[in-house]
mmCIF file of all heavy atoms in Angstrom:
data_model
loop_
_atom_site.group_PDB
_atom_site.id
_atom_site.type_symbol
_atom_site.label_atom_id
_atom_site.label_comp_id
_atom_site.label_asym_id
_atom_site.label_seq_id
_atom_site.Cartn_x
_atom_site.Cartn_y
_atom_site.Cartn_z
ATOM 1 N N ARG A 150 -56.853 19.738 28.847
ATOM 2 C CA ARG A 150 -56.212 19.043 27.736
ATOM 3 C C ARG A 150 -55.800 17.615 28.073
ATOM 4 O O ARG A 150 -55.575 16.812 27.163
ATOM 5 C CB ARG A 150 -54.974 19.824 27.264
ATOM 6 C CG ARG A 150 -55.254 21.228 26.783
ATOM 7 C CD ARG A 150 -56.199 21.248 25.582
ATOM 8 N NE ARG A 150 -55.635 20.571 24.442
ATOM 9 C CZ ARG A 150 -54.874 21.162 23.517
ATOM 10 N NH1 ARG A 150 -54.605 22.467 23.633
ATOM 11 N NH2 ARG A 150 -54.401 20.494 22.500
ATOM 12 N N VAL A 151 -55.705 17.296 29.359
ATOM 13 C CA VAL A 151 -55.276 15.947 29.762
ATOM 14 C C VAL A 151 -56.389 15.218 30.515
ATOM 15 O O VAL A 151 -56.797 14.113 30.143
ATOM 16 C CB VAL A 151 -53.998 16.012 30.633
ATOM 17 C CG1 VAL A 151 -53.602 14.612 31.087
ATOM 18 C CG2 VAL A 151 -52.866 16.674 29.868
ATOM 19 N N THR A 152 -56.889 15.844 31.576
ATOM 20 C CA THR A 152 -57.863 15.164 32.437
ATOM 21 C C THR A 152 -59.235 15.060 31.792
ATOM 22 O O THR A 152 -59.800 13.967 31.674
ATOM 23 C CB THR A 152 -57.978 15.891 33.788
ATOM 24 O OG1 THR A 152 -56.686 15.967 34.396
ATOM 25 C CG2 THR A 152 -58.944 15.154 34.703
ATOM 26 N N LEU A 153 -59.799 16.188 31.384
ATOM 27 C CA LEU A 153 -61.190 16.214 30.923
ATOM 28 C C LEU A 153 -61.441 15.334 29.696
ATOM 29 O O LEU A 153 -62.465 14.624 29.654
ATOM 30 C CB LEU A 153 -61.616 17.660 30.649
ATOM 31 C CG LEU A 153 -63.118 17.941 30.720
ATOM 32 C CD1 LEU A 153 -63.669 17.514 32.080
ATOM 33 C CD2 LEU A 153 -63.390 19.422 30.480
ATOM 34 N N PRO A 154 -60.574 15.337 28.664
ATOM 35 C CA PRO A 154 -60.841 14.441 27.519
ATOM 36 C C PRO A 154 -60.886 12.964 27.907
ATOM 37 O O PRO A 154 -61.703 12.204 27.374
ATOM 38 C CB PRO A 154 -59.665 14.731 26.567
ATOM 39 C CG PRO A 154 -59.218 16.110 26.922
ATOM 40 C CD PRO A 154 -59.410 16.217 28.397
ATOM 41 N N GLN A 155 -60.021 12.549 28.837
ATOM 42 C CA GLN A 155 -60.032 11.150 29.266
ATOM 43 C C GLN A 155 -61.252 10.835 30.116
ATOM 44 O O GLN A 155 -61.846 9.768 29.997
ATOM 45 C CB GLN A 155 -58.750 10.852 30.044
ATOM 46 C CG GLN A 155 -57.497 10.962 29.187
ATOM 47 C CD GLN A 155 -56.261 10.529 29.944
ATOM 48 O OE1 GLN A 155 -56.023 9.333 30.135
ATOM 49 N NE2 GLN A 155 -55.459 11.491 30.383
ATOM 50 N N VAL A 156 -61.644 11.789 30.972
ATOM 51 C CA VAL A 156 -62.849 11.604 31.786
ATOM 52 C C VAL A 156 -64.071 11.469 30.884
ATOM 53 O O VAL A 156 -64.942 10.622 31.104
ATOM 54 C CB VAL A 156 -63.016 12.787 32.769
ATOM 55 C CG1 VAL A 156 -64.404 12.785 33.392
ATOM 56 C CG2 VAL A 156 -61.960 12.721 33.851
ATOM 57 N N TRP A 157 -64.147 12.308 29.862
ATOM 58 C CA TRP A 157 -65.283 12.284 28.940
ATOM 59 C C TRP A 157 -65.392 10.928 28.246
ATOM 60 O O TRP A 157 -66.470 10.352 28.139
ATOM 61 C CB TRP A 157 -65.126 13.395 27.922
ATOM 62 C CG TRP A 157 -66.138 13.396 26.816
ATOM 63 C CD1 TRP A 157 -65.939 13.117 25.507
ATOM 64 C CD2 TRP A 157 -67.548 13.679 26.934
ATOM 65 N NE1 TRP A 157 -67.098 13.213 24.789
ATOM 66 C CE2 TRP A 157 -68.104 13.556 25.645
ATOM 67 C CE3 TRP A 157 -68.376 14.013 27.993
ATOM 68 C CZ2 TRP A 157 -69.454 13.753 25.398
ATOM 69 C CZ3 TRP A 157 -69.728 14.222 27.757
ATOM 70 C CH2 TRP A 157 -70.250 14.097 26.475
ATOM 71 N N ARG A 158 -64.261 10.403 27.781
ATOM 72 C CA ARG A 158 -64.270 9.129 27.065
ATOM 73 C C ARG A 158 -64.695 7.986 27.988
ATOM 74 O O ARG A 158 -65.504 7.134 27.592
ATOM 75 C CB ARG A 158 -62.873 8.836 26.497
ATOM 76 C CG ARG A 158 -62.785 7.516 25.744
ATOM 77 C CD ARG A 158 -61.375 7.255 25.257
ATOM 78 N NE ARG A 158 -60.446 7.121 26.350
ATOM 79 C CZ ARG A 158 -60.293 6.015 27.061
ATOM 80 N NH1 ARG A 158 -61.042 4.947 26.802
ATOM 81 N NH2 ARG A 158 -59.409 5.956 28.025
ATOM 82 N N ILE A 159 -64.205 7.993 29.216
ATOM 83 C CA ILE A 159 -64.518 6.908 30.148
ATOM 84 C C ILE A 159 -65.961 7.001 30.645
ATOM 85 O O ILE A 159 -66.653 5.993 30.804
ATOM 86 C CB ILE A 159 -63.532 6.935 31.339
ATOM 87 C CG1 ILE A 159 -62.101 6.684 30.847
ATOM 88 C CG2 ILE A 159 -63.917 5.896 32.383
ATOM 89 C CD1 ILE A 159 -61.033 6.980 31.883
ATOM 90 N N ALA A 160 -66.418 8.227 30.889
ATOM 91 C CA ALA A 160 -67.738 8.422 31.511
ATOM 92 C C ALA A 160 -68.884 8.378 30.509
ATOM 93 O O ALA A 160 -70.042 8.222 30.920
ATOM 94 C CB ALA A 160 -67.757 9.757 32.260
ATOM 95 N N LEU A 161 -68.597 8.529 29.227
ATOM 96 C CA LEU A 161 -69.657 8.691 28.224
ATOM 97 C C LEU A 161 -70.698 7.575 28.213
ATOM 98 O O LEU A 161 -71.911 7.864 28.176
ATOM 99 C CB LEU A 161 -69.031 8.861 26.837
ATOM 100 C CG LEU A 161 -69.986 9.266 25.713
ATOM 101 C CD1 LEU A 161 -70.757 10.526 26.073
ATOM 102 C CD2 LEU A 161 -69.223 9.467 24.412
ATOM 103 N N PRO A 162 -70.321 6.289 28.253
ATOM 104 C CA PRO A 162 -71.364 5.243 28.269
ATOM 105 C C PRO A 162 -72.308 5.352 29.454
ATOM 106 O O PRO A 162 -73.529 5.216 29.297
ATOM 107 C CB PRO A 162 -70.551 3.943 28.312
ATOM 108 C CG PRO A 162 -69.227 4.294 27.718
ATOM 109 C CD PRO A 162 -68.971 5.695 28.160
ATOM 110 N N GLY A 163 -71.765 5.603 30.637
ATOM 111 C CA GLY A 163 -72.615 5.752 31.814
ATOM 112 C C GLY A 163 -73.490 6.988 31.737
ATOM 113 O O GLY A 163 -74.674 6.957 32.116
ATOM 114 N N LEU A 164 -72.930 8.079 31.229
ATOM 115 C CA LEU A 164 -73.707 9.307 31.087
ATOM 116 C C LEU A 164 -74.829 9.131 30.070
ATOM 117 O O LEU A 164 -75.906 9.721 30.212
ATOM 118 C CB LEU A 164 -72.796 10.461 30.653
ATOM 119 C CG LEU A 164 -71.752 10.926 31.671
ATOM 120 C CD1 LEU A 164 -70.847 11.982 31.066
ATOM 121 C CD2 LEU A 164 -72.425 11.461 32.928
ATOM 122 N N GLY A 165 -74.580 8.310 29.049
ATOM 123 C CA GLY A 165 -75.632 8.029 28.066
ATOM 124 C C GLY A 165 -76.825 7.344 28.711
ATOM 125 O O GLY A 165 -77.984 7.664 28.403
ATOM 126 N N ASN A 166 -76.552 6.412 29.611
ATOM 127 C CA ASN A 166 -77.656 5.730 30.316
ATOM 128 C C ASN A 166 -78.434 6.710 31.196
ATOM 129 O O ASN A 166 -79.667 6.662 31.260
ATOM 130 C CB ASN A 166 -77.104 4.593 31.174
ATOM 131 C CG ASN A 166 -76.567 3.450 30.337
ATOM 132 O OD1 ASN A 166 -77.018 3.224 29.216
ATOM 133 N ND2 ASN A 166 -75.598 2.729 30.867
ATOM 134 N N VAL A 167 -77.709 7.611 31.883
ATOM 135 C CA VAL A 167 -78.379 8.584 32.743
ATOM 136 C C VAL A 167 -79.200 9.559 31.904
ATOM 137 O O VAL A 167 -80.273 9.999 32.313
ATOM 138 C CB VAL A 167 -77.347 9.333 33.609
ATOM 139 C CG1 VAL A 167 -78.028 10.369 34.497
ATOM 140 C CG2 VAL A 167 -76.575 8.355 34.476
ATOM 141 N N TRP A 168 -78.708 9.899 30.716
ATOM 142 C CA TRP A 168 -79.465 10.772 29.809
ATOM 143 C C TRP A 168 -80.794 10.139 29.411
ATOM 144 O O TRP A 168 -81.832 10.804 29.397
ATOM 145 C CB TRP A 168 -78.644 11.092 28.565
ATOM 146 C CG TRP A 168 -79.474 11.541 27.397
ATOM 147 C CD1 TRP A 168 -79.813 10.803 26.300
ATOM 148 C CD2 TRP A 168 -80.103 12.823 27.228
ATOM 149 N NE1 TRP A 168 -80.607 11.533 25.454
ATOM 150 C CE2 TRP A 168 -80.801 12.779 25.990
ATOM 151 C CE3 TRP A 168 -80.141 13.987 27.981
ATOM 152 C CZ2 TRP A 168 -81.526 13.869 25.506
ATOM 153 C CZ3 TRP A 168 -80.863 15.073 27.500
ATOM 154 C CH2 TRP A 168 -81.537 15.013 26.279
ATOM 155 N N LEU A 169 -80.774 8.851 29.109
ATOM 156 C CA LEU A 169 -82.008 8.168 28.731
ATOM 157 C C LEU A 169 -82.995 8.134 29.904
ATOM 158 O O LEU A 169 -84.204 8.262 29.706
ATOM 159 C CB LEU A 169 -81.700 6.746 28.253
ATOM 160 C CG LEU A 169 -80.919 6.649 26.939
ATOM 161 C CD1 LEU A 169 -80.585 5.200 26.618
ATOM 162 C CD2 LEU A 169 -81.700 7.277 25.784
ATOM 163 N N VAL A 170 -82.462 7.981 31.116
ATOM 164 C CA VAL A 170 -83.331 8.039 32.299
ATOM 165 C C VAL A 170 -83.912 9.439 32.454
ATOM 166 O O VAL A 170 -85.102 9.612 32.755
ATOM 167 C CB VAL A 170 -82.544 7.633 33.564
ATOM 168 C CG1 VAL A 170 -83.385 7.870 34.813
ATOM 169 C CG2 VAL A 170 -82.117 6.170 33.484
ATOM 170 N N LEU A 171 -83.093 10.457 32.239
ATOM 171 C CA LEU A 171 -83.563 11.838 32.307
ATOM 172 C C LEU A 171 -84.670 12.092 31.295
ATOM 173 O O LEU A 171 -85.676 12.753 31.608
ATOM 174 C CB LEU A 171 -82.391 12.797 32.053
ATOM 175 C CG LEU A 171 -82.747 14.268 31.803
ATOM 176 C CD1 LEU A 171 -83.340 14.893 33.063
ATOM 177 C CD2 LEU A 171 -81.515 15.042 31.345
ATOM 178 N N LEU A 172 -84.495 11.567 30.100
ATOM 179 C CA LEU A 172 -85.494 11.759 29.046
ATOM 180 C C LEU A 172 -86.849 11.207 29.470
ATOM 181 O O LEU A 172 -87.900 11.821 29.211
ATOM 182 C CB LEU A 172 -85.009 11.071 27.766
ATOM 183 C CG LEU A 172 -85.663 11.468 26.447
ATOM 184 C CD1 LEU A 172 -85.508 12.955 26.180
ATOM 185 C CD2 LEU A 172 -85.047 10.666 25.309
ATOM 186 N N LYS A 173 -86.831 10.075 30.143
ATOM 187 C CA LYS A 173 -88.092 9.490 30.619
ATOM 188 C C LYS A 173 -88.629 10.228 31.844
ATOM 189 O O LYS A 173 -89.847 10.361 32.013
ATOM 190 C CB LYS A 173 -87.888 8.007 30.945
ATOM 191 C CG LYS A 173 -87.589 7.151 29.718
ATOM 192 C CD LYS A 173 -87.425 5.700 30.083
ATOM 193 C CE LYS A 173 -86.154 5.465 30.868
ATOM 194 N NZ LYS A 173 -85.935 4.017 31.162
ATOM 195 N N ASP A 174 -87.727 10.718 32.692
ATOM 196 C CA ASP A 174 -88.161 11.402 33.907
ATOM 197 C C ASP A 174 -88.833 12.738 33.624
ATOM 198 O O ASP A 174 -89.507 13.291 34.505
ATOM 199 C CB ASP A 174 -86.976 11.619 34.845
ATOM 200 C CG ASP A 174 -86.590 10.350 35.585
ATOM 201 O OD1 ASP A 174 -87.388 9.384 35.549
ATOM 202 O OD2 ASP A 174 -85.503 10.312 36.182
ATOM 203 N N THR A 175 -88.642 13.283 32.426
ATOM 204 C CA THR A 175 -89.320 14.543 32.088
ATOM 205 C C THR A 175 -90.836 14.387 32.149
ATOM 206 O O THR A 175 -91.547 15.382 32.315
ATOM 207 C CB THR A 175 -88.924 15.026 30.685
ATOM 208 O OG1 THR A 175 -89.195 13.988 29.723
ATOM 209 C CG2 THR A 175 -87.448 15.390 30.614
ATOM 210 N N SER A 176 -91.329 13.168 32.020
ATOM 211 C CA SER A 176 -92.779 12.946 32.087
ATOM 212 C C SER A 176 -93.338 13.298 33.456
ATOM 213 O O SER A 176 -94.539 13.558 33.600
ATOM 214 C CB SER A 176 -93.103 11.488 31.758
ATOM 215 O OG SER A 176 -92.514 10.611 32.702
ATOM 216 N N LEU A 177 -92.471 13.328 34.492
ATOM 217 C CA LEU A 177 -92.936 13.599 35.846
ATOM 218 C C LEU A 177 -93.307 15.061 36.058
ATOM 219 O O LEU A 177 -94.034 15.390 37.001
ATOM 220 C CB LEU A 177 -91.866 13.194 36.859
ATOM 221 C CG LEU A 177 -91.461 11.711 36.859
ATOM 222 C CD1 LEU A 177 -90.290 11.483 37.805
ATOM 223 C CD2 LEU A 177 -92.643 10.834 37.258
ATOM 224 N N VAL A 178 -92.805 15.948 35.193
ATOM 225 C CA VAL A 178 -93.094 17.372 35.402
ATOM 226 C C VAL A 178 -94.550 17.704 35.108
ATOM 227 O O VAL A 178 -95.004 18.813 35.405
ATOM 228 C CB VAL A 178 -92.169 18.271 34.551
ATOM 229 C CG1 VAL A 178 -90.717 18.052 34.916
ATOM 230 C CG2 VAL A 178 -92.396 18.042 33.058
#
Side-chain angles (χ1 to χ4, degrees):
R150 300 299 298 271
V151 178
T152 304
L153 204 56
Q155 295 186 76
V156 167
W157 173 249
R158 179 182 63 80
I159 297 168
L161 190 54
L164 293 175
N166 291 332
V167 179
W168 159 257
L169 293 176
V170 172
L171 168 67
L172 198 58
K173 293 181 290 184
D174 283 347
T175 55
S176 62
L177 299 174
V178 299

